[in-house]
């Protein structure tokens, strides 16, 4: 059984944290009061006492920290909103979320996945030009050790934490791989560096058609996208296919910047926000793309992907090809709580309307040319990608 001092600290900390989080949510963002504050505080404290007493008396393990309990209590409070897009983040989760928005992080430049069949942690991808590639790590390498630590029984998250760190950190990996039909073990030393997520790739298709694949939107995506367009322009592209299939979205600021590169002066989206009111985003005509554009979408194209595709469609600047998109027409904002209780909150703070003033939340975007994917390859852009083939067919009619 825990000591009385720890119990009192946990109850006080938990009650204070829950009340602080709720007050921030209610008074700052929702501007409503659900219960009188005094009775709410009493109710939270009473519930915390009861729950803690049961955990303390009956839970047969004692390996869950007070911090973890309080963090998950905060998660539960945000979950009570019933919004699947709102979350409470622990400090580690907040850091990862902000890295996704920024588009860069400190690490080795290799992604790791968990093999469900073998339980192994496997290098899923090695990004070009990164410390991982320079050190000789390869796709499908099985991570056996990090330093002297056996990772066979560790979780995927724990292994990922071990191979990330501040720039300049030396990491020794023991990996197992197949070479010439034999299983060999290699010891690889990697020095962490600043890694930029590559979210844009491009190539020239037959008939001088440019093709750009965008996998997500972050601050780095804008520069990568502009660089891709410039390269395709130098090679003489006659039209552009932008592939947003399986792109779940990301930074709204990034997609607005990309639309500003594509469209002449005019309205983009209207963001409706309870605190700040309505905000209209517009394109400035500092640059615009004056050749035919096709945007590929599917059922996993969501959020910022739908902002891009929807604005291009509404402004008559692109033809949408594929199947109906996901239908996420709301906006989330991440608030850091590092200076108060730690971690952060991601909340739905508004919705957006496309230039035509339509809201696509729960509805999605309907493509101008509907075609279901029938290919067998999981990789977009392969030879059997019939949706891309249809986009090429439509583009030929536009540029001939």
């Amino acid at each position: 059984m825990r000591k009385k001092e720890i119990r009192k600290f946990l109850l006080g900390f938990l009650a204070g944290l829950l009340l602080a989080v709720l007050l921030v949510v209610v008074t700052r963002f929702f501007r409503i009061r659900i219960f009188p504050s005094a009775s709410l505080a009493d109710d939270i404290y009473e519930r915390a006492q009861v729950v803690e007493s049961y955990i303390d008396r009956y839970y047969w393990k004692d390996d869950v920290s007070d911090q973890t309990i309080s963090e998950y209590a905060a998660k539960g409070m945000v979950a009570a909103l019933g919004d699947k897009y709102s979350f409470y983040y622990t400090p580690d989760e907040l850091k990862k979320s902000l890295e996704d928005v920024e588009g860069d992080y400190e690490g080795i430049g290799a992604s790791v996945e968990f093999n469900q069949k073998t339980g192994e942690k496997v290098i899923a991808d090695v990004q070009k030009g990164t410390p991982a590639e320079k050190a000789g790590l390869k796709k499908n390498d099985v991570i056996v050790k990090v330093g002297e630590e056996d990772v066979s029984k560790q979780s995927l998250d724990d292994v990922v934490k071990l191979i990330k760190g501040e720039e300049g950190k030396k990491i020794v990996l023991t990996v197992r791989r197949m070479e010439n039909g034999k299983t060999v073990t290699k010891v690889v030393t990697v020095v962490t560096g600043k890694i930029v997520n590559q979210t844009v790739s491009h190539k020239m298709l037959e008939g001088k058609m440019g093709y750009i694949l965008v996998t997500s939107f972050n601050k780095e995506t804008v520069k990568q996208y502009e660089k891709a367009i410039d390269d395709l322009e130098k090679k003489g592209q006659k039209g552009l296919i932008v592939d947003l299939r399986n792109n779940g979205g990301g930074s709204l600021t990034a997609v607005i910047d990309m639309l500003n590169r594509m469209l002449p002066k005019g309205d983009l989206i209207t963001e409706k926000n309870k605190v700040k009111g309505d905000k209209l985003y517009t394109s400035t005509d500092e640059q615009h793309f004056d050749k035919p554009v096709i945007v590929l979408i599917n059922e996993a194209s969501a959020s910022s992907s739908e902002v891009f595709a929807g604005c291009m469609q509404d402004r008559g600047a692109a033809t949408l090809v594929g199947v109906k998109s996901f239908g996420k027409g709301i906006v989330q904002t991440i608030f850091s709580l590092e200076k108060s209780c730690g971690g952060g909150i991601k909340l739905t703070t508004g919705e957006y309307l496309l230039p035509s003033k339509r809201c696509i939340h729960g509805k999605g975007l309907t493509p101008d040319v509907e075609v279901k994917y029938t290919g067998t390859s999981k990789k977009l852009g392969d030879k059997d990608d019939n949706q891309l083939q249809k986009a090429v067919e439509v583009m030929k009619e536009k540029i001939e």
Side-chain angles (χ1 to χ4, degrees):
M1 186 175 290
R2 298 175 185 171
K3 294 180 179 179
K4 291 183 179 180
E5 291 80 4
I6 295 178
R7 210 161 38 234
K8 288 180 180 179
F9 172 78
L10 173 60
L11 290 172
F13 182 76
L14 177 58
L17 174 63
L18 291 177
L19 181 58
V21 172
L22 185 63
L23 287 175
V24 169
V25 173
V26 173
T27 62
R28 191 172 178 184
F29 305 120
F30 296 96
R31 295 180 178 176
I32 58 174
R33 287 174 61 184
I34 301 173
F35 303 104
S37 57
S39 63
L40 175 60
D42 291 341
D43 187 58
I44 290 174
Y45 189 77
E46 182 179 342
R47 288 176 187 273
Q49 281 186 310
V50 173
V51 172
E52 194 277 339
S53 68
Y54 273 79
I55 292 173
D56 185 47
R57 184 173 182 180
Y58 295 110
Y59 186 60
W60 76 298
K61 290 183 178 181
D62 195 26
D63 57 355
V64 181
S65 69
D66 294 346
Q67 181 178 344
T68 299
I69 291 174
S70 64
E71 287 173 347
Y72 273 79
K75 282 181 179 289
M77 179 167 283
V78 178
L81 298 173
D83 179 7
K84 64 180 180 180
Y85 301 111
S86 293
F87 308 97
Y88 170 81
Y89 289 133
T90 66
D92 285 343
E93 291 169 343
L94 177 64
K95 182 180 179 182
K96 175 64 171 63
S97 183
L98 293 176
E99 285 176 354
D100 291 341
V101 173
E102 293 297 325
D104 57 35
Y105 65 96
E106 292 177 323
I108 66 173
S111 58
V112 183
E113 65 182 11
F114 179 75
N115 187 312
Q116 296 284 354
K117 294 181 179 179
T118 65
E120 296 168 331
K121 289 76 183 177
V122 183
I123 301 290
D125 185 60
V126 177
Q127 192 172 319
K128 290 183 179 180
T130 60
E133 184 191 46
K134 294 174 182 177
L137 285 175
K138 297 181 179 180
K139 182 178 180 179
N140 297 324
D141 279 352
V142 176
I143 301 176
V144 179
K145 290 183 180 180
V146 179
E148 296 299 319
E149 200 164 342
D150 183 352
V151 300
S152 61
K153 294 183 180 179
Q154 295 201 25
S155 70
L156 179 61
D157 285 344
D158 288 340
V159 174
V160 170
K161 287 178 184 178
L162 289 173
I163 63 174
K164 294 180 72 173
E166 294 183 2
E167 190 173 359
K169 178 183 176 182
K170 185 181 291 186
I171 299 172
V172 179
L173 296 175
T174 302
V175 299
R176 188 171 64 248
R177 69 172 63 139
M178 293 294 294
E179 284 187 358
N180 301 318
K182 296 181 179 180
T183 301
V184 298
T185 300
K186 300 276 187 180
V187 178
V188 181
T189 300
V190 192
V191 179
T192 58
K194 194 68 171 277
I195 309 300
V196 176
N197 283 329
Q198 192 66 36
T199 57
V200 176
S201 58
H202 71 283
K203 60 184 177 181
M204 188 70 83
L205 304 177
E206 58 176 295
K208 291 289 183 178
M209 298 180 201
Y211 172 82
I212 299 179
L213 172 66
V214 184
T215 57
S216 64
F217 294 93
N218 58 51
K219 289 183 179 179
E220 295 295 330
T221 305
V222 181
K223 291 181 283 187
Q224 294 171 14
Y225 182 78
E226 291 177 346
K227 185 177 179 180
I229 287 184
D230 291 344
D231 184 52
L232 291 169
E233 285 288 274
K234 290 176 183 177
K235 293 177 180 177
Q237 68 175 346
K238 296 180 180 179
L240 175 64
I241 298 172
V242 181
D243 194 343
L244 299 181
R245 291 173 295 172
N246 300 338
N247 183 326
S251 168
L252 179 62
T253 302
V255 77
I256 294 297
D257 289 343
M258 290 165 64
L259 285 167
N260 199 34
R261 170 64 181 85
M262 299 298 291
L263 294 169
K265 189 173 183 178
D267 292 353
L268 296 176
I269 67 166
T270 301
E271 182 183 354
K272 301 181 76 65
N273 185 287
K274 179 178 286 188
V275 176
K276 299 178 181 178
D278 293 357
K279 179 178 180 180
L280 175 64
Y281 293 86
T282 61
S283 47
T284 63
D285 202 27
E286 291 179 9
Q287 287 181 296
H288 70 269
F289 192 80
D290 57 2
K291 295 172 183 175
V293 179
I294 290 174
V295 180
L296 279 164
I297 59 171
N298 66 5
E299 64 280 355
S301 302
S303 192
S304 294
S305 292
E306 293 173 297
V307 171
F308 186 95
C311 284
M312 294 291 286
Q313 185 184 47
D314 273 13
R315 294 280 297 272
T319 299
L320 305 192
V321 175
V323 296
K324 184 175 287 189
S325 62
F326 181 81
K328 185 170 180 281
I330 51 179
V331 179
Q332 280 75 46
T333 305
I334 297 174
F335 301 92
S336 173
L337 303 177
E338 289 182 305
K339 293 183 179 179
S340 53
C341 60
I345 302 180
K346 181 180 181 181
L347 291 174
T348 298
T349 53
E351 67 176 10
Y352 66 81
L353 305 179
L354 294 173
S356 62
K357 304 307 177 187
R358 59 176 169 151
C359 176
I360 55 94
H361 191 63
K363 303 172 184 176
L365 294 166
T366 300
D368 301 294
V369 180
E370 187 167 358
V371 53
K372 295 181 180 179
Y373 185 76
T374 59
T376 57
S377 175
K378 293 182 180 180
K379 185 178 180 181
L380 298 178
D382 278 357
K383 291 181 179 180
D384 66 345
D385 187 342
N386 65 299
Q387 289 179 323
L388 177 56
Q389 291 168 6
K390 186 63 178 180
V392 169
E393 180 184 321
V394 174
M395 182 63 79
K396 282 181 180 179
E397 297 175 358
K398 293 178 178 292
I399 63 179
E400 287 180 352

